[in-house]
């Protein structure tokens, strides 16, 4: 069937070529429609031993706790019922859903959080330790190798260190104000509660162990040291992908302001505690700290509260003026 479509494509394309090409009309305002990167087709995973490892790696991304969670059948590394796919949507192949399109091509990589080069296995372990509140897997663990094999397969054809369309987050316009937790709560009750629960606890699968709807806060959710705990990153993810059954990056349900407020509400440590992370050693070079990292010290004069909840414009402007990084 796919071959048929390919042939049809060539025929249509051939027809198009016979017409005299028209010069683009200069009066039209240019509309930039990104041509999104596409992950390879799982049907093309080779039917050999390498393919078996790739498929197994994909299964682990989709269903980590069953194999490697606190009651995992293979080993006990993850510390909660979250699976990689709860954040890396569609096994890391959805545009603007924390996908792995170009991941394998960009490691080893200098990571500001650790202040050193990390291998891809180290980076996988970061997510096992923080979002999954667990402990690192040995790099030569067969399940680690399977995950790496899958990540390599997803990134196939992407040149070393390249970025591809859709492998990052959508941009949102940051409101020029601090996040409004009251409004965040309203947005949560209207758009999120029906799946993630009145107390952010999520909904377990019948196995009472993995999640149909993952928890957003509390002891069974991600640590504060996870990137999802950063307001801007979470707001970008939420706007592009939540509510899970309705939103898409090009058809969002929430406005930028709603995504900003609900991300702050979900990540408000006062009302929504999480498992502990030691954050003191993160970003040893403090000038490299992202503007929405929740723990000081900072190399700018703004208080922790403002780095957590905004407004971020003054921080961005100050950092620009002083030649510092403005990333988030
Ligand atoms: C609670 C959400 C969450 C869960 C669960 C999670 N991650 Fe992540 N992960 C993130 C976020 C957020 C990032 C940072 C993405 C960014 O900054 O673009 C990330 C980054 C990564 C990266 C680096 C991606 C890149 O292109 O640089 C890898 C690899 C990764 N995660 C693997 C995993 C694996 C494997 C698991 C399961 C064992 C997992 N993650 C579970 C949220 C999560
Ligand atoms: C229809 C049910 C549904 C609704 C409504 C919904 N979500 Fe989700 N959410 C999910 C599912 C399912 C996942 C995991 C995706 C997967 O595993 O494929 C998820 C994942 C997440 C995650 C990452 C995983 C984690 O545990 O942190 C966050 C954050 C999140 N949702 C926030 C929200 C917010 C905020 C809203 C409201 C704006 C919302 N969701 C509305 C079903 C829903």
């Amino acid at each position: 069937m796919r071959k048929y479509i390919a042939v049809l494509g060539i025929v249509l394309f051939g027809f198009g070529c016979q017409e005299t090409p028209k010069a683009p009309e200069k009066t039209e305002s240019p509309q930039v429609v990104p041509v999104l990167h596409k992950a390879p087709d799982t049907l093309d995973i080779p039917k050999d031993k390498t393919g078996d490892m790739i498929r197994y790696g994909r299964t682990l991304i989709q269903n980590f706790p069953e194999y490697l969670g606190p009651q995992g059948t293979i080993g006990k590394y993850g510390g909660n019922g979250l699976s990689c796919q709860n954040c890396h949507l569609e096994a890391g192949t959805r545009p603007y859903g924390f996908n792995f399109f170009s991941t394998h091509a960009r490691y080893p990589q200098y990571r500001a959080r650790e202040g050193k080069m990390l291998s891809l296995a180290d980076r996988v372990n970061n997510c096992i330790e923080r979002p999954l509140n667990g402990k690192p897997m040995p790099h030569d663990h067969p399940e680690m190798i399977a995950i790496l094999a899958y990540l390599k397969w997803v990134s196939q054809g992407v040149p070393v260190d390249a970025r591809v369309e859709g492998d990052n987050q959508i941009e949102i316009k940051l409101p020029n104000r601090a996040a409004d937790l009251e409004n965040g709560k309203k947005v949560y009750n209207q758009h999120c509660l029906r799946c993630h629960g009145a107390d952010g606890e999520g909904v377990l699968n019948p196995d009472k162990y993995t999640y149909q709807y993952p928890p957003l806060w509390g002891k069974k959710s991600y640590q504060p040291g996870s990137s999802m705990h950063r307001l801007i990153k979470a707001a970008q993810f939420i706007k592009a992908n939540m509510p899970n059954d309705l939103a898409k990056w090009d058809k969002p349900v929430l406005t930028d302001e709603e995504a900003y407020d609900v991300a702050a509400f979900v990540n408000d440590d006062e009302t929504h505690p999480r498992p502990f992370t030691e954050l003191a050693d993160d970003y040893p070079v403090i000038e490299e700290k992202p503007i929405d990292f929740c723990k000081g010290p900072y190399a700018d004069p703004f208080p922790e509260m403002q780095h957590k909840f905004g407004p971020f414009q003054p921080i961005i402007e100050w950092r620009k003026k002083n030649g510092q990084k403005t990333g988030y």
Side-chain angles (χ1 to χ4, degrees):
M1 180 63 188
R2 269 185 302 123
K3 263 199 194 124
Y4 174 68
I5 291 170
V7 169
L8 189 70
I10 290 166
V11 170
L12 291 177
F13 185 69
F15 262 95
C17 282
Q18 284 164 15
E19 286 181 5
T20 328
K22 282 188 196 139
E25 293 195 18
K26 295 223 171 76
T27 47
E28 262 177 40
S29 61
Q31 204 190 352
V32 186
V33 181
V35 179
L36 293 178
H37 183 78
K38 240 173 110 63
D41 192 326
T42 49
L43 292 173
D44 295 335
I45 297 176
K47 305 213 166 17
D48 57 14
K49 292 251 192 269
T50 306
D52 290 345
M53 279 304 259
I54 295 168
R55 269 183 292 273
Y56 184 39
R58 182 177 163 88
T59 303
L60 295 170
I61 295 288
Q62 293 171 312
N63 214 343
F64 193 89
E66 193 181 316
Y67 297 84
L68 295 159
Q71 302 162 50
T73 50
I74 303 281
K76 296 176 179 32
Y77 292 96
N80 59 29
L82 289 189
S83 207
C84 317
Q85 175 165 259
N86 292 154
C87 300
H88 301 287
L89 301 173
E90 294 170 27
T93 66
R94 187 192 293 184
Y96 306 106
F98 291 138
N99 59 64
F100 300 132
F101 285 169
S102 60
T103 300
H104 192 275
R106 287 185 282 99
Y107 283 82
Q109 182 190 109
Y110 173 80
R111 299 276 306 154
R113 192 164 74 187
E114 291 75 23
K116 62 178 187 195
M117 294 285 286
L118 292 195
S119 70
L120 187 51
D122 291 327
R123 185 66 188 86
V124 166
N125 273 333
N126 276 353
C127 270
I128 298 176
E129 288 180 76
R130 292 181 172 207
L132 268 61
N133 194 24
K135 57 175 204 263
M137 269 205 286
H139 287 195
D140 62 352
H141 199 293
E143 277 62 27
M144 174 63 88
I145 294 170
I147 288 173
L148 297 178
Y150 174 67
L151 295 178
K152 180 177 170 200
W153 176 81
V154 174
S155 297
Q156 68 184 262
V158 176
V160 170
D161 284 335
R163 306 277 339 196
V164 296
E165 202 61 61
D167 73 355
N168 50 357
Q169 277 64 257
I170 55 162
E171 275 305 323
I172 63 167
K173 190 170 180 305
L174 297 171
N176 202 359
R177 59 167 175 80
D180 176 346
L181 293 172
E182 270 310 304
N183 188 47
K185 184 178 183 173
K186 270 192 216 139
V187 174
Y188 185 85
N189 290 343
Q190 190 184 342
H191 294 286
C192 320
L193 184 149
R194 70 185 161 99
C195 294
H196 292 289
D199 199 21
E201 73 281 17
V203 175
L204 283 164
N205 280 319
D207 63 13
K208 298 256 178 269
Y209 175 46
T210 59
Y211 284 98
Q212 183 184 7
Y213 302 123
L216 299 189
W217 63 81
K219 279 204 188 83
K220 295 178 176 158
S221 186
Y222 53 86
Q223 294 184 353
S226 312
S227 301
M228 191 67 93
H229 188 250
R230 283 164 39 195
L231 197 164
I232 301 174
K233 212 169 264 293
Q236 292 172 324
F237 171 86
I238 290 167
K239 177 162 181 216
N241 300 293
M242 293 292 144
N244 187 53
D245 55 348
L246 300 174
K248 244 191 86 196
W249 67 274
D250 58 350
K251 202 173 62 73
V253 171
L254 305 185
T255 63
D256 290 353
E257 303 222 0
E258 287 170 333
Y260 182 75
D261 291 341
V262 80
F265 172 75
V266 165
N267 284 317
D268 175 23
D269 297 317
E270 292 292 317
T271 48
H272 298 152
R274 307 182 164 276
F276 176 75
T277 323
E278 178 54 64
L279 297 172
D281 297 334
D282 284 11
Y283 300 96
V285 182
I286 59 170
E287 286 79 9
E288 294 176 347
K289 217 171 248 195
I291 59 171
D292 56 347
F293 191 70
C294 68
K295 182 100 184 111
Y298 306 96
D300 58 50
F302 300 93
E304 211 163 78
M305 199 65 174
Q306 190 164 347
H307 284 279
K308 267 189 210 171
F309 295 122
F312 293 101
Q313 270 85 357
I315 306 180
I316 294 173
E317 277 159 32
W318 188 94
R319 285 201 182 184
K320 270 191 192 150
K321 238 184 15 225
N322 290 276
Q324 286 186 20
K325 294 201 160 129
T326 55
Y328 42 82

